[in-house]
Amino acid sequence: KSSVIMEGRMRSFLKALLLFALFFAVAHITRISIVPDSLPIADGHQSGWQVQIAFVLMSVENIGLFGMAIVMLLALLNRFRRLVAR
């Protein structure tokens, strides 16, 4: 295959990686600045708004982290498949 096609595929992986990194960074900075002392742990009682916001932002952080991991895994598999195909 052409190197231009492969470069385009890697560019799409990089764009997806940067998108998930942006999700993580924005959620992390927002959580640290809005609710710095709250941990997203519910203890069974009616939790306050700080805990609820921390939980939502931590969920978005985790989506960003898992998304980055999946994109990196797919990019590595793509590279490995290209090396094996040679």
Side-chain angles (χ1 to χ4, degrees):
K1 293 183 179 181
S2 170
S3 64
V4 174
I5 294 172
M6 290 302 155
E7 184 178 314
R9 285 185 183 170
M10 284 299 131
R11 186 172 294 141
S12 64
F13 284 125
L14 183 61
K15 285 180 183 179
L17 183 69
L18 290 175
L19 178 69
F20 283 116
L22 182 66
F23 283 168
F24 172 78
V26 168
H28 184 71
I29 291 169
T30 304
R31 185 176 60 87
I32 295 299
S33 63
I34 292 177
V35 285
D37 297 330
S38 294
L39 291 176
I41 299 172
D43 60 356
H45 300 289
Q46 184 69 13
S47 57
W49 66 270
Q50 295 95 349
V51 175
Q52 293 173 358
I53 290 177
F55 182 79
V56 169
L57 292 173
M58 183 68 82
S59 297
V60 175
E61 285 180 38
N62 288 338
I63 289 169
L65 286 175
F66 285 121
M68 286 189 292
I70 290 171
V71 168
M72 289 175 59
L73 180 66
L74 290 174
L76 287 173
L77 288 173
N78 188 24
R79 286 280 185 168
F80 180 71
R81 187 174 51 178
R82 263 191 33 221
L83 289 175
V84 170
R86 284 185 183 183

